[in-house]
Amino acid sequence: MVSKNWIKRKELSPSEIDDFSKKHNFDKVLSELLLERDLTDDTKLEDFLHADIGGLQDPFGLHDMDKALEIIDQAVESNSKIAIYGDYDADGVTSTSIMKLTLKKLGIDPIFYIPDRFKDGYGPNLSVYKFLVEQNIDLLITVDNGVSGKDEIKYLKDQGIKVVVTDHHDLPQELPEADAIVHPTIPGSEYVCPYLSGAGVAFKIADALLGDDALEFIDLAAIGTVADSVPLLGENRVIVTEGLKRMAENNHVGLSELIKKCKLKPNNMSEEDIGFKIAPRINALGRLANASSAVELLTTGDVGFAKEIVDETEDINKERQGIVADVYEAAQAQVEAQKDNGVLVLSGTDWHQGILGIVASRVVEQTHKPALVLQMDADSGIYKGSGRSPEGFNLFEALDSYRDLFVAFGGHAQACGFSVAEDKLSELTEKLQQEPAKQDFDYQGSVKEVFDLDLNVSDLNFNLIKSISNLAPFGVGNPKPVIKLKNVNLTQMQSIGKDGTHLKTKVASNNNQVDAIGFGMYQKAKEISNNVCDVYGELGINEWAGRKNLQLMLDDFEVSEEAKKMAKLQSIYLDYRNKRIAPSILDKFDSVIFFNETYLEAVKRHDSSAKLVMYDQSCNGENILIYDRPHNIDLFKEFIKQNKTLHTALYFHTDLNSRYLTPDMSKMKVLLKYLYTHQNIAENDMQTVADYLRIQKNDVDFYLKVFFELDFVKIVNGFVEKANASKQRELIESPTYLKRLKRNDVEKILIESDFGSLLSWMSEYDCHS
């Protein structure tokens, strides 16, 4: 798996979160998430949290929208023959469906053409355009494609056919000479939401033509928007939010039947339902069959017909899943062979063309490298392929540099489709290896990943999910918050899935735990089992048999830095506390370290050949034993900061029976009150006082010395009297009291704590870690 470097999205102080929370009356989790996304402006905050149809923008802000409407209106008035040319993915299918339904509302029954992935390839196709000309069309409307079809569209224009291009893909250097190009990023006419999907652009056409009636199609636009992985910000957020709400209205019987087949709840749909259930099934038709049936599904009013297509879609999707698994496995040998390449070019002669993009996506996730996956068409001698790239590498820009090597090519920064002749593939592969350096893309480094919340397992509950859900819908530009759980254990690990590569486990800390699933993570979990880990994932709900349980979808886990430190320290430090040390044992060490000269002199009297030194002498690189304990914990801190030993045995002379006194405030008050209310108490009578008050004599002596130093009492002619203290004093102003507190720190940390706790404390100062 790719190494990941996790950092917090934005470091915020508790006061920043508290102030924002109080100002807006949000809980602290929601406040932190909004601040991390820089959503502090009141207007932007309101638009983000309450996205609704009021956020839809004027469609005439899109380039050439007025021209497009004029052309379409004229075609409707003259009852012209209109053809819609779409694409075979979910965005292209929904775009085509929106355009078809819009024209039908205007009284036109258009024909539509969805390119066949296997015969026609990606984007404009001259052969298909010739076929459409033979159908005597008057107007061609492209949806989700067209800007890369300069030559093909020129052919249509030469035939006297009007052309309206609606697209959202990256622009080529030269635009086609269409009658209108409706596109959100035309230079000089950039739209307020430049990242519309193809379905989003088609919806804006419907909005301009139909007004509020176009809202009937916003659910289809939501599917295309989520499926095409465009940023879910601005108007896209409105389209998806409103589209999800309207899926319960049953405006499209085909979509309703598909929702039923997926066992989803139409009145409680999420963007994940689209991304993981709806869109893959629509895409499956274009991958293994012809996506025209998907358009029929989304535009039919016949429930029986819709059910037939849905059943067919389900079968095709299951077939698609099996083919993807087979091709991905077959590609692994080439991935390994090209492990030194910055761009992976993987090809097969019998790989199914329809699933190449999915395989490419998985390889990118596996390797963090741009990946082109191709299949040889034996009849034409041409490789047809799909490419995907990780964030930080612009695949469209890289491939566009070698456009002359392609038979056909189009796409955007993270995904492209193309065809390349067999004799050009080697040259293309070689040249592409220069692109990572050109784009300053480090394909060998760890992947930078971002988490949002640093929590404990005990913090995970349904209220937390409710807070997080305020930011939905999630997607590109607004990712679902990732939670970091620090220093936890993976327990009850199970291998699941057809190939046993997936992980089912529980993430546990103290007495709290949560179920977790990690795709492709079982082997990694086995390798670091029994280690304390930092875990990263998204919190969700798993509903089964009517019961709802919290479930963490794992993004990553790694042995925690604290656990790494602890493992390092456990290999260096030895716990000799409470052991009996014979002089012969001392000889096994290079040096024996002392903090008190009294002990050093005492050990010198033994017959030992060990080097006996005080703590302020260097013992770097030695095997040592620390014989006694310091009176001040700071001395020990400084020692472990400065001395990088090979091994260190911690003895601390813990065979002593006595322990340092912990000052008891209540007993001190009792003693002081007694001294203040009784006269003629001789300094030599303290044993009698101790017996009467039931306080140990050595405690009374200690407290009396503190009182004397603070000027609470005085000794006059051998008797204890109340002093006339002129000001209130704090106990720590007594040198004796302060010294005792420091000795208590030593006792508590070095002597009383268990070894794990001691090493954990030492890890903050020790030079080894």
Side-chain angles (χ1 to χ4, degrees), residues 342-357:
V343 179
L344 304 177
V345 181
L346 317 172
S347 61
T349 57
D350 58 351
W351 294 356
H352 199 292
Q353 187 183 330
I355 51 78
L356 301 180

Side-chain angles (χ1 to χ4, degrees), residues 300-326:
T300 186
D302 186 329
V303 175
F305 181 49
K307 287 182 177 179
E308 289 180 13
I309 299 176
V310 166
D311 289 342
E312 175 193 359
T313 301
E314 191 69 12
D315 292 339
I316 291 174
N317 188 51
K318 289 178 181 177
E319 182 184 358
R320 185 269 307 170
Q321 291 172 335
I323 294 173
V324 168
D326 292 342

Side-chain angles (χ1 to χ4, degrees), residues 461-476:
N461 53 48
F462 289 99
N463 286 331
L464 176 62
I465 289 181
K466 186 176 180 181
S467 294
I468 291 173
S469 66
N470 284 290
L471 276 68
F474 300 110
V476 176

Side-chain angles (χ1 to χ4, degrees), residues 504-572:
K504 181 179 181 182
T505 186
K506 291 183 184 295
V507 178
S509 177
N510 298 324
N511 295 320
N512 302 289
Q513 62 182 23
V514 63
D515 293 336
I517 297 290
F519 292 109
M521 295 185 176
Y522 180 69
Q523 185 59 39
K524 179 179 179 180
K526 279 182 60 180
E527 292 171 359
I528 66 170
S529 63
N530 300 320
N531 277 290
V532 176
C533 295
D534 292 340
V535 166
Y536 304 86
E538 296 100 31
L539 187 64
I541 297 174
N542 178 36
E543 189 168 354
W544 179 255
R547 296 182 60 185
K548 293 182 178 180
N549 294 299
L550 296 177
Q551 180 174 272
L552 196 69
M553 298 303 298
L554 299 176
D555 292 310
D556 192 22
F557 48 84
E558 57 192 5
V559 177
S560 73
E561 287 303 315
E562 185 170 325
K564 291 177 184 176
K565 286 182 180 179
M566 290 291 287
K568 179 74 172 177
L569 294 182
Q570 285 170 350
S571 69
I572 294 169

Side-chain angles (χ1 to χ4, degrees), residues 520-659:
M521 295 185 176
Y522 180 69
Q523 185 59 39
K524 179 179 179 180
K526 279 182 60 180
E527 292 171 359
I528 66 170
S529 63
N530 300 320
N531 277 290
V532 176
C533 295
D534 292 340
V535 166
Y536 304 86
E538 296 100 31
L539 187 64
I541 297 174
N542 178 36
E543 189 168 354
W544 179 255
R547 296 182 60 185
K548 293 182 178 180
N549 294 299
L550 296 177
Q551 180 174 272
L552 196 69
M553 298 303 298
L554 299 176
D555 292 310
D556 192 22
F557 48 84
E558 57 192 5
V559 177
S560 73
E561 287 303 315
E562 185 170 325
K564 291 177 184 176
K565 286 182 180 179
M566 290 291 287
K568 179 74 172 177
L569 294 182
Q570 285 170 350
S571 69
I572 294 169
Y573 288 93
L574 309 172
D575 190 4
Y576 274 40
R577 298 175 303 169
N578 292 312
K579 290 187 176 183
R580 297 182 66 84
I581 299 294
S584 59
I585 294 179
L586 301 182
D587 294 341
K588 297 181 182 297
F589 296 93
D590 298 322
S591 296
V592 179
I593 309 300
F594 296 85
F595 284 94
N596 302 276
E597 290 189 8
T598 302
Y599 286 116
L600 185 148
E601 294 301 324
V603 174
K604 276 184 179 179
R605 292 194 292 270
H606 296 300
D607 183 16
S608 172
S609 62
K611 183 171 65 174
L612 311 179
V613 297
M614 290 296 290
Y615 68 92
D616 54 358
Q617 297 186 40
S618 174
C619 53
N620 280 323
E622 295 184 355
N623 292 304
I624 70 167
L625 177 139
I626 297 180
Y627 188 87
D628 60 340
R629 48 191 157 168
H631 292 309
N632 188 329
I633 197 68
D634 290 335
L635 294 178
F636 183 71
K637 288 180 186 178
E638 193 63 28
F639 180 84
I640 61 176
K641 282 181 183 178
Q642 300 297 329
N643 291 281
K644 201 165 189 176
T645 59
L646 289 178
H647 293 93
T648 299
L650 303 175
Y651 174 47
F652 294 142
H653 202 40
T654 49
D655 59 345
L656 297 179
N657 294 320
S658 63
R659 291 287 187 263

